[in-house]
Amino acid sequence: MAALTTDVTEITVIGDDDTGLIARVTSLLFERGINIEDLDQAVRDGVFRMYLAVDTSEMVCTEETLRSDLHELGDDLGLDVQVRFPADREHQQIAVLVTKESHCLEALFEAWANDELGADIGVVIGNHDDLQPLAEHYDVPFHDIGDDGGQQNEERLLELLAEYDVDLIVLARYMRILSPNVVFRYEDRIINVHPSLLPAFPGAEAYRQAIEEGVRVAGVTAHYVTTDLDQGPIITQRAFDVPDDADLDEMKRRGQPLEADALLEAVQLHLNGDVSVHRGRTSVRENGTKYQLGLPDELDEFTPDRPVDGIGSAVAQDQ
């Protein structure tokens, strides 16, 4: 997906894959004087997704009419159509998805309470109810969508995301995989934190994998969620040393504070409009210098600056 400015209208179309869908949608837009600036489509597990970034500044109808016309077309074609005008994104709502670990949710709540988040946490959704008391402490609604084994009810999840008019989904150590039916609806609007320096050790038990492989440096990664597990565009990373005798508890002790830190910074980058996604990679805009992104600047003084390839040959030429 191309990098976007904040003044485009975003249209997302989800449904069963079928021929002619793109033409029907684009024709409707052209007839109303709307220019398409970016179009991206994909199909995964039989689910069709089309994303359009469009310029509605000179359209020949009202926003309400366009939204109504697109929804009517969606009903005719059996599609779910979402429209987000620039004004819809001025006061963003966050849904935080959790399981049992509290550290990332705590960091988000603390930043929100201190007016450092840049959006409202509208709802916390869990596949277990362990963190309901924490949400209630901050007077935020909590919904448990998991069965006795923690399996999520995705239909209920989508209902809640629509009910709370969610702009950004944050996976705060949410231990379930989201299907394309969810991911396609919120592409580039779902941020996860993974306990490894991706692309190393994707999937479950990343800290354990790091121990088994004998790594000396491990870390965490906050990234956008795609339909490919733990392969979405990387936003921020943090690293830590792994002692020779480190066990799983020690890895978590070192990693969990960094998970919260990397996730919070990634959320702030997104909400502030300081990060964009293009061809599967993120880039930071002009405000990027105020973020850590990776290792802290203080470590630069400990990084050797010599030898550098070519110095030896230059010395030989002087002799």
Side-chain angles (χ1 to χ4, degrees):
M1 185 180 302
L4 298 177
T5 60
T6 58
D7 59 353
V8 299
T9 295
E10 299 172 303
I11 301 171
T12 304
V13 180
I14 305 290
D16 295 333
D17 189 21
D18 199 359
T19 57
L21 298 181
I22 297 176
R24 292 287 301 275
V25 175
T26 55
S27 295
L28 184 151
L29 298 176
F30 287 137
E31 290 168 1
R32 287 151 182 79
I34 296 169
N35 183 52
I36 298 174
E37 297 189 356
D38 186 43
L39 188 154
D40 180 69
Q41 60 174 314
V43 178
R44 178 60 63 91
D45 297 338
V47 179
F48 168 81
R49 169 190 175 272
M50 178 169 61
Y51 169 89
L52 303 101
V54 303
D55 180 3
T56 54
S57 61
E58 298 183 4
M59 67 179 177
V60 295
C61 65
T62 64
E63 292 184 357
E64 293 76 11
T65 298
L66 176 62
R67 197 189 300 271
S68 175
D69 289 347
L70 284 169
H71 287 166
E72 183 177 339
L73 177 62
D75 291 341
D76 290 343
L77 299 176
L79 302 171
D80 179 16
V81 182
Q82 300 175 357
V83 186
R84 299 173 74 230
F85 294 99
D88 297 340
R89 302 192 292 274
E90 291 178 356
H91 304 288
Q92 299 191 68
Q93 294 290 318
I94 297 174
V96 185
L97 273 57
V98 298
T99 296
K100 295 183 177 183
E101 297 181 20
S102 66
H103 53 287
C104 289
L105 180 59
E106 289 179 31
L108 292 166
F109 271 144
E110 288 176 5
W112 181 45
N114 294 326
D115 293 326
E116 298 172 352
L117 197 55
D120 287 330
I121 298 177
V123 63
V124 177
I125 303 171
N127 64 320
H128 293 280
D129 63 2
D130 297 56
L131 300 185
Q132 183 169 351
L134 181 58
E136 291 176 346
H137 174 75
Y138 285 91
D139 198 26
V140 173
F142 182 95
H143 296 270
D144 181 3
I145 61 165
D147 60 18
D148 291 341
Q151 181 62 45
Q152 65 197 3
N153 181 336
E154 280 204 344
E155 183 176 343
R156 179 58 179 153
L157 172 60
L158 287 171
E159 290 175 355
L160 289 168
L161 296 176
E163 176 184 340
Y164 286 93
D165 196 19
V166 170
D167 297 291
L168 176 65
I169 303 170
V170 180
L171 307 186
R173 299 299 288 132
Y174 184 63
M175 306 305 289
R176 287 290 174 181
I177 297 172
L178 300 177
S179 78
N181 203 30
V182 176
V183 175
F184 276 170
R185 283 174 165 80
Y186 295 91
E187 188 111 1
D188 293 339
R189 292 194 284 144
I190 308 175
I191 297 177
N192 180 48
V193 63
H194 183 75
S196 81
L197 289 172
L198 292 173
F201 312 131
E205 303 290 340
Y207 285 148
R208 189 182 302 279
Q209 293 179 64
I211 294 172
E212 291 173 351
E213 293 296 330
V215 302
R216 297 301 184 187
V217 176
V220 305
T221 303
H223 64 97
Y224 285 111
V225 173
T226 65
T227 54
D228 296 311
L229 179 63
D230 294 331
Q231 295 183 42
I234 291 170
I235 309 172
T236 60
Q237 293 186 303
R238 299 288 189 270
F240 61 91
D241 279 328
V242 180
D244 192 57
D245 58 351
D247 58 12
L248 188 58
D249 287 340
E250 176 65 14
M251 294 287 284
K252 289 182 178 180
R253 187 190 70 80
R254 291 176 177 242
Q256 285 182 346
L258 297 180
E259 292 171 19
D261 190 55
L263 180 61
L264 177 58
E265 183 177 74
V267 169
Q268 291 169 328
L269 274 157
H270 177 92
L271 293 173
N272 293 335
D274 290 334
V275 65
S276 61
V277 182
H278 183 59
R279 298 186 183 275
R281 292 187 60 182
T282 60
S283 59
V284 179
R285 299 194 171 104
E286 60 272 11
N287 293 324
T289 55
K290 70 180 182 180
Y291 300 97
Q292 181 175 324
L293 299 180
L295 293 173
D297 294 339
E298 292 80 2
L299 289 184
D300 285 347
E301 62 181 286
F302 299 105
T303 303
D305 60 2
R306 293 185 64 177
V308 178
D309 186 43
I311 291 180
S313 60
V315 171
Q317 291 175 4
D318 291 339
Q319 292 179 348

